[in-house]
Amino acid sequence: MRRRSAAYWLWVNRRLAGRNHEEILEDGTQVEVQARINQQSVTQLFICIYRPNGSVWVEEFHDRALREPLCQALEWGLARAGDIVAGSGCFKAPHKIQMTLGPLIRDECTLALRRMDMSDEERRNLKIRDAWAEYVHAKEAMLALMRSARVEADVWETQKRRLCEAIDRRASLARACLGN
């Protein structure tokens, strides 16, 4: 049985129709993604991940694009949930790509060599350093845009999303460290 946090109860609104996707992973982890469109026609997404015992692992809320189709938002939410789950697990094989919000290392060989023969603590510290570096770069890019006289809307949204994902990644790693 799931134990919902206050974040879920603040998000839920039964008057807004939406779509849900639920699945239970092999280890018993429960993933639920809910998408809806609010009164202002903004697609909203809630990602819930629960440990096998039903306790909250992650509950996140995201405002997506104006009139984004629910199925597209659900796909993004499932990918985000997969990134969270994959980012917290142990490294399985050197031929797999890194599963993070935004791959920081894109070369599979470099990634495999970097992660081979690492302890769990070294792996966690590496993830924390990478998350910090991505956050600093995203913050600097956003500050540069804020100082610009003119910025295109899609560039602004892309940088805003990058910064939010960097913050979410750091917070997710912090929660994972506190949970251990």
Side-chain angles (χ1 to χ4, degrees):
M1 179 173 200
R2 296 179 190 150
R3 292 184 290 276
R4 307 279 194 177
S5 73
Y8 174 81
W9 297 111
L10 290 172
W11 183 81
V12 73
N13 184 344
R14 298 290 177 202
R15 291 178 286 170
L16 298 175
R19 292 184 57 193
N20 294 352
H21 176 87
E22 295 183 38
E23 62 184 87
I24 299 176
L25 305 179
E26 291 176 5
D27 65 352
T29 300
Q30 303 168 42
V31 176
E32 180 181 7
V33 179
Q34 299 180 16
R36 68 181 184 199
I37 298 176
N38 69 7
Q39 289 93 352
Q40 292 79 29
S41 299
V42 174
T43 303
Q44 297 178 321
L45 198 63
F46 198 79
I47 300 168
C48 318
I49 303 174
Y50 302 97
R51 291 185 176 88
N53 67 4
S55 65
V56 174
W57 180 0
V58 175
E59 287 185 340
E60 297 180 342
F61 171 82
H62 297 275
D63 274 337
R64 299 289 294 161
L66 191 66
R67 294 186 188 89
E68 179 181 20
L70 292 178
C71 60
Q72 187 176 341
L74 282 173
E75 286 177 19
W76 182 89
L78 287 171
R80 170 77 176 116
D83 288 346
I84 292 168
V85 171
S88 69
C90 294
F91 183 68
K92 299 277 192 261
H95 66 279
K96 301 272 184 185
I97 61 169
Q98 181 182 13
M99 300 292 286
T100 61
L101 294 177
L104 303 175
I105 301 172
R106 300 183 198 300
D107 181 44
E108 292 181 38
C109 293
T110 304
L111 177 64
L113 290 172
R114 187 174 187 190
R115 297 187 106 189
M116 212 179 298
D117 298 328
M118 283 187 166
S119 69
D120 289 339
E121 185 176 346
E122 290 171 324
R123 199 173 291 119
R124 187 182 72 241
N125 289 338
L126 179 62
K127 286 180 184 180
I128 290 169
R129 280 195 311 269
D130 285 349
W132 176 256
E134 174 61 18
Y135 166 72
V136 168
H137 293 300
K139 181 179 77 168
E140 288 171 356
M142 191 60 147
L143 288 172
L145 284 180
M146 293 170 79
R147 291 182 189 111
S148 300
R150 238 185 119 115
V151 178
E152 293 182 25
D154 60 332
V155 172
W156 178 264
E157 285 302 315
T158 301
Q159 276 309 116
K160 181 176 143 188
R161 189 174 314 117
R162 178 183 174 203
L163 181 59
C164 288
E165 288 175 352
I167 292 168
D168 288 346
R169 183 165 182 245
R170 287 191 62 225
S172 176
L173 287 169
R175 277 193 298 267
C177 288
L178 291 174
N180 291 336

